Amino acid sequence: YAIQQGFLTAVASNPVLPLRAMQEHVRWGGLTPEHFKVIPALDNFHYFKPQLGFFKEVAESLGVQPENCLLVSGQTEDVICRELGMKMFFVGIPGLDEQTDYSGNLDDLMRLISQGNL
């Protein structure tokens, strides 16, 4: 839905495989690699999550400032992205120690996008 709305999109998975394999993982998820401006892979990234450098590299690869990004994740260690000014939508219910900007299920995320609240 975000892609249909014209958002720049990136995969934010750890770059543990070559690009060709990461693209195949995207296909396994029922998505098209060409819809993503950035797909981190061993071939094109220098950092792994949860290093801040990973999130900074995603933003740089998109050509935007981190504060203009929204990370959608269900992994608590990704909350560190907020140190760069990224916003985070936590898929699920964050723990008491995790400070996120938004949380809920994917329908909640779609609602926020469609209402222009992101």
Side-chain angles (χ1 to χ4, degrees):
Y1 184 73
I3 294 165
Q4 292 171 344
Q5 298 306 306
F7 284 77
L8 286 176
T9 55
V11 172
S13 295
N14 260 324
V16 296
L17 299 169
L19 181 58
R20 190 173 186 141
M22 295 297 285
Q23 290 170 332
E24 192 60 31
H25 278 236
V26 169
R27 286 185 193 94
W28 290 349
L31 301 169
T32 306
E34 293 75 26
H35 285 132
F36 297 95
K37 184 171 182 183
V38 177
I39 299 176
L42 287 175
D43 319 72
N44 60 9
F45 260 65
H46 305 91
Y47 299 93
F48 285 82
K49 295 191 309 182
Q51 295 174 319
L52 285 176
F54 173 83
F55 300 102
K56 186 176 180 186
E57 199 165 10
V58 168
E60 288 173 353
S61 297
L62 285 170
V64 299
Q65 295 297 313
E67 57 270 14
N68 294 324
C69 293
L70 173 72
L71 177 72
V72 177
S73 176
Q75 301 193 0
T76 56
E77 66 268 11
D78 289 347
V79 171
I80 194 170
C81 74
R82 296 183 76 240
E83 290 183 24
L84 294 173
M86 278 188 183
K87 294 178 183 75
M88 181 176 179
F89 183 98
F90 187 84
V91 180
I93 301 170
L96 295 175
D97 295 337
E98 285 83 40
Q99 295 293 316
T100 65
D101 299 285
Y102 311 95
S103 64
N105 60 38
L106 293 178
D107 288 335
D108 296 324
L109 174 61
M110 200 161 104
R111 193 174 309 101
L112 286 170
I113 293 170
S114 66
Q115 293 171 348
N117 291 331
L118 298 177

